[in-house]
Amino acid sequence: MKKTTLILVAIIIPAMAASGKVRRNTLTIAQTKVPETETIIDETMEFVYDYTWCNDTTGHFEDNRTSDQMLLQIAPNGITKFSSYKNLTVDSLLMNMSREQVVDAILEGKLSNGDFMTIFKNYPEGKLTQTDKVCMDWFRYEEDIPEMEWELTDSVANVLGYECRAALCNFRGREWTAFYTEEIPLMEGPWKLHGLPGLIMKASDKNGEYVFECVGIKSNASRPITIYKVPYNNTSRRKYYDAKHQFDINPFGFYEAVTGEHVDVVDATGIPVNDSNEPVDLLYDYIERDWKK
């Protein structure tokens, strides 16, 4: 079996939840090579978004945030892709490095991946396709492009120099506020958000746990929309979230169950964490809260 470079982090969280003290374990599995890709369509427009989310709602939001830059690609035929810009950069670097250089760069923290969540709209036509990597496995599911019932308001804001109006929507357990601009007449937006009379430039849920904000635009981009050619587990949205949840509450135990390999975990001081493969409380909720229903 090929060895996989692992970055293991066991963090003891001194926060208090309803069940008492809680702990967050994280397991990062760094890619040592780029999966083969398939081009879906060429010519696109590109919009870059800052994406932040709270990874511990039991503490202060600003002290417990994860961030990534995401790329929204929009093709003339209506196909869109929303994916991590950081991963595109890492993929480009990996393709020009030897295996030894890759391992050294990973150990030095220079090849940190972003979020593997990728959202395609109208691929296939009328469908939303999400792909993601959970531990060592790739997941893929399709659903009808969800209808979003927006309430338009008179509130305005300026985002990236564009005048934007606000709209409200309840979507899968969260109350969203989105700012869209009719100056860019595209009924699209970050993540699964869409359906307003202009591009969604900024969006956040009511509590500010998930936030998207456009920070860059390229109207003529040569980068094609692609998809990884990997052995996906074709599944449903519910089953995908079930697998993701099992990994997030017990990453080391999940890894051992999937690979059959034991993971030795130590804390920041080098002391072994003997109960690292026991489930812990999840300190936040997913962007879609209805997944348990």
Side-chain angles (χ1 to χ4, degrees):
M1 178 180 291
K2 292 183 179 179
K3 290 185 178 180
T4 303
T5 301
L6 300 180
I7 302 175
L8 306 181
V9 183
I11 305 175
I12 306 301
I13 304 294
M16 297 296 292
S19 58
K21 291 185 178 181
V22 291
R23 183 179 78 200
R24 182 173 70 246
N25 293 347
T26 60
L27 172 65
T28 300
I29 303 173
Q31 289 196 140
T32 57
K33 64 179 181 179
V34 182
E36 186 180 350
T37 60
E38 175 185 354
T39 296
I40 296 173
I41 191 169
D42 290 317
E43 306 169 356
T44 62
M45 298 178 68
E46 293 185 347
F47 303 89
V48 180
Y49 289 81
D50 279 344
Y51 169 42
T52 62
W53 57 277
C54 183
N55 57 41
D56 181 359
T57 57
T58 68
H60 296 291
F61 279 19
E62 295 309 314
D63 297 330
N64 296 281
R65 299 196 75 84
T66 298
S67 62
D68 199 356
Q69 275 207 331
M70 308 295 286
L71 182 67
L72 173 62
Q73 298 173 274
I74 302 178
N77 68 349
I79 292 177
T80 73
K81 177 183 179 182
F82 186 70
S83 61
S84 171
Y85 205 166
K86 184 185 294 185
N87 286 348
L88 289 173
T89 303
V90 170
D91 285 354
S92 296
L93 291 173
L94 285 175
M95 287 188 288
N96 295 293
M97 300 172 71
S98 67
R99 183 173 179 83
E100 290 73 20
Q101 290 174 321
V102 169
V103 172
D104 288 342
I106 290 172
L107 295 177
E108 294 171 7
K110 296 179 179 178
L111 287 178
S112 176
N113 283 108
D115 198 323
F116 281 105
M117 170 195 69
T118 301
I119 306 291
F120 297 89
K121 297 192 192 89
N122 282 311
Y123 179 72
E125 185 175 357
K127 297 290 185 179
L128 183 149
T129 298
Q130 176 165 343
T131 65
D132 202 349
K133 188 179 184 184
V134 178
C135 194
M136 303 293 289
D137 296 322
W138 292 90
F139 287 78
R140 172 176 175 166
Y141 71 83
E142 292 180 5
E143 60 176 318
D144 292 337
I145 294 179
E147 294 185 6
M148 308 192 73
E149 297 181 0
W150 293 100
E151 176 188 345
L152 305 186
T153 76
D154 294 328
S155 298
V156 296
N158 188 288
V159 181
L160 208 63
Y162 289 89
E163 181 179 286
C164 300
R165 292 189 174 277
L168 309 176
C169 182
N170 288 316
F171 181 63
R172 293 181 175 171
R174 292 189 184 273
E175 297 178 42
W176 287 92
T177 298
F179 288 90
Y180 65 96
T181 177
E182 295 182 4
E183 296 177 52
I184 305 177
L186 299 170
M187 299 178 69
E188 274 302 335
W191 183 56
K192 296 183 179 182
L193 305 177
H194 71 107
L196 285 166
L199 182 73
I200 297 173
M201 299 289 287
K202 184 177 180 178
S204 64
D205 72 301
K206 182 179 181 180
N207 295 327
E209 295 176 22
Y210 290 86
V211 181
F212 304 95
E213 182 169 0
C214 186
V215 295
I217 296 175
K218 190 173 184 179
S219 58
N220 264 320
S222 58
R223 190 191 337 256
I225 290 179
T226 61
I227 187 171
Y228 284 145
K229 292 180 65 176
V230 294
Y232 290 107
N233 291 306
N234 291 305
T235 187
S236 65
R237 186 169 68 98
R238 170 65 185 271
K239 290 180 179 179
Y240 153 72
Y241 271 115
D242 281 342
K244 180 175 175 63
H245 184 253
Q246 289 302 314
F247 175 69
D248 287 342
I249 63 174
N250 188 8
F252 307 112
F254 192 99
Y255 176 82
E256 291 186 16
V258 169
T259 66
E261 297 179 356
H262 178 68
V263 179
D264 292 316
V265 182
V266 296
D267 65 16
T269 64
I271 298 175
V273 181
N274 297 321
D275 60 347
S276 62
N277 63 349
E278 294 182 5
V280 297
D281 292 330
L282 197 63
L283 304 181
Y284 62 95
D285 204 352
Y286 296 127
I287 191 169
E288 296 178 288
R289 282 178 164 163
D290 68 336
W291 68 275
K292 293 181 181 178
K293 295 180 179 180

